[in-house]
């Protein structure tokens, strides 16, 4: 109730619609809390953290949805998604969603993950340096399918690949190169 009041929801929406939306969100929050409860000890370090990263002379400003810190001091970057989230997109030369790759350039994150917030299908979708950081997110070494698609790179090599990918996109953008160029790697 408080969130809806603070959000300034339009009076034009019907009371019944608002009630249904409150019920939907309540179920979603309960599902998400159950998933978070499966994790080991952690603290939410930042929410909506502003970040500015310069790549090839291009300054990219954004907001990281959430950064957590585990009891072992590992940093986890989380990007909330209410729709599809494809971590294999990160392994293409022209990722559709490079946001987490850009943020990973800081080198301080040990786990990179989407947080899929879909009723009945809440889950983390990502990759980690270590095993057991997030439910259903395997370490790169234990995730044979992802590692194979990542051409058997180790963590540091994966970070270098992402840096090269983002750098290439930044150079193209700065040079004004913008032909129609769909990513053939996506299916």
């Amino acid at each position: 109730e408080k969130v809806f009041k603070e959000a300034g929801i339009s009076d034009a929406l019907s009371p019944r619609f608002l009630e249904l939306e409150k019920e939907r969100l309540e179920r979603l929050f309960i599902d998400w809390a159950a998933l978070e409860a499966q994790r080991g000890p952690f603290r939410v370090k930042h929410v909506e953290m502003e970040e500015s990263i310069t790549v090839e002379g291009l300054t990219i400003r954004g907001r990281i949805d959430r950064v957590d810190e585990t009891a072992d001091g590992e940093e986890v970057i989380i990007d909330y998604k209410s729709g599809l989230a494809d971590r294999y997109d990160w392994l293409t030369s022209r990722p559709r969603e490079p946001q987490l790759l850009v943020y990973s350039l800081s080198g301080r994150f040990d786990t990179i993950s989407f947080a899929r917030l879909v009723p009945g299908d809440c889950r983390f979708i990502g990759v980690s340096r270590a095993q057991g950081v997030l439910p259903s997110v395997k370490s790169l070494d234990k995730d044979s399918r992802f590692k194979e698609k990542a051409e058997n790179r180790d963590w540091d090599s994966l970070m270098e690949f992402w840096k090269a990918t983002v750098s290439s996109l930044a150079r193209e953008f700065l040079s004004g190169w913008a032909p129609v160029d769909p990513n053939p790697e996506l299916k």
Side-chain angles (χ1 to χ4, degrees):
E1 293 296 326
K2 181 180 177 187
V3 168
F4 268 67
K5 286 178 186 170
E6 289 176 1
I9 304 292
S10 169
D11 291 337
L13 298 174
S14 76
R16 180 65 182 141
F17 173 82
L18 291 175
E19 191 58 39
L20 289 171
E21 183 61 7
K22 287 176 188 175
E23 289 173 14
R24 183 188 75 81
L25 289 173
E26 183 178 315
R27 284 191 307 272
L28 185 60
F29 291 145
I30 289 169
D31 287 352
W32 188 253
L35 181 64
E36 290 276 24
Q38 296 174 29
R39 294 180 61 184
F42 72 95
R43 72 179 180 99
V44 176
K45 191 172 179 180
H46 301 286
V47 176
E48 294 288 318
M49 182 176 83
E50 291 189 19
E51 187 81 0
S52 181
I53 296 173
T54 301
V55 182
E56 299 291 327
L58 175 66
T59 299
I60 302 168
R61 290 180 184 86
R63 282 202 171 123
I64 298 175
D65 288 348
R66 188 169 127 192
V67 176
D68 291 353
E69 183 177 38
T70 68
D72 295 332
E74 297 168 323
E75 289 208 356
V76 179
I77 183 172
I78 299 171
D79 184 39
Y80 292 103
K81 295 290 179 203
S82 60
L84 297 176
D86 181 8
R87 68 193 185 127
Y88 295 110
D89 175 56
W90 300 337
L91 301 175
T92 67
S93 61
R94 300 189 63 75
R96 288 176 293 189
E97 299 208 35
Q99 180 181 3
L100 287 173
L101 305 186
V102 171
Y103 297 144
S104 76
L105 296 182
S106 71
R108 69 182 186 267
F109 299 110
D110 302 291
T111 300
I112 316 265
S113 185
F114 291 120
R116 182 172 162 83
L117 294 171
V118 174
D121 190 21
C122 287
R123 58 189 156 120
F124 291 104
I125 301 169
V127 64
S128 182
R129 182 189 305 255
Q131 188 67 14
V133 176
L134 294 175
S136 75
V137 172
K138 295 178 182 176
S139 70
L140 180 59
D141 290 337
K142 302 273 186 202
D143 193 338
S144 58
R145 185 169 179 218
F146 189 87
K147 187 158 182 148
E148 180 183 325
K149 288 186 178 278
E151 299 175 357
N152 292 311
R153 292 177 174 94
D154 64 14
W155 187 261
D156 292 332
S157 297
L158 181 62
M159 295 301 111
E160 285 301 315
F161 171 73
W162 286 349
K163 181 178 182 179
T165 299
V166 172
S167 294
S168 175
L169 293 172
R171 284 191 304 273
E172 289 174 7
F173 179 81
L174 288 170
S175 72
W177 189 78
V180 175
D181 186 21
N183 189 338
E185 300 166 71
L186 299 175
K187 295 177 183 169

